[in-house]
Amino acid sequence: MTFPLPAPMRRALDLAAEAASAGEVPVGAVVTKGDTVIAEARNAMRGSVDPTAHAEMVAIRAAAAALGQPRLDGCTLWVTLEPCAMCAAAIAISRIGDLRFAAEDPKGGGVVHGPRIFAQPTCHHRPDVLGGIGEAEAAEQLRRFFAVRR
């Protein structure tokens, strides 16, 4: 049985496709509060010449600015790839309540792989995490993107 993707993940996947078209690694992110989209972003490292311009980081910054506060309590981050350690730490610091991601990242992930940031005793906030939402499409976007470059 196939279920339709939640609208924020659908939008994140569309943003990831935009990133790929711009030559960026195809990752998209959307921050919601309830049913309201607060911010959205795609990877922008190359275009902005900023190594921290991961989709999650850009979306978190935009959400904090939109809400006028550094804490994103009650917000959900929807992202097409398991966040890296940097992004996972930012998720914890910003107090995002829920993390929903599509594809796991065994090489660079920081949530269910690698350093597992939320499992560390020094992590003071742990969002509710659910992966695998839209995983097949996100993984295919990444495969296509890197196939051309390898």
Side-chain angles (χ1 to χ4, degrees):
M1 177 179 266
T2 306
F3 296 99
L5 283 176
M9 186 59 80
R10 174 76 264 145
R11 179 63 183 144
L13 287 161
D14 292 345
L15 289 162
E18 290 177 20
S21 293
E24 302 277 359
V25 175
V27 178
V30 174
V31 178
T32 59
K33 189 161 190 167
D35 292 332
T36 303
V37 172
I38 304 300
E40 59 181 41
R42 61 173 180 78
N43 267 3
M45 293 170 41
R46 289 177 181 264
S48 65
V49 194
D50 178 357
T52 69
H54 292 197
E56 302 95 308
M57 298 294 286
V58 177
I60 288 168
R61 288 181 193 125
L67 295 174
Q69 59 191 36
R71 294 212 171 160
L72 302 177
D73 300 300
C75 289
T76 300
L77 175 64
W78 303 81
V79 63
T80 59
L81 184 63
E82 174 187 348
C84 69
M86 172 184 69
C87 294
I91 290 164
I93 291 166
S94 66
R95 305 293 196 265
I96 287 174
D98 300 295
L99 169 63
R100 304 293 180 252
F101 69 88
E104 290 187 6
D105 186 358
K107 240 176 126 175
V111 176
V112 297
H113 295 94
R116 296 184 172 111
I117 296 298
F118 305 137
Q120 300 305 314
T122 54
C123 182
H124 300 296
H125 173 78
R126 293 165 181 82
D128 179 66
V129 177
L130 180 61
I133 304 166
E135 180 176 18
E137 185 174 344
E140 182 56 29
Q141 285 179 333
L142 289 158
R143 268 192 295 280
R144 275 194 317 261
F145 180 82
F146 286 112
V148 172
R149 284 153 180 81
R150 291 187 178 146

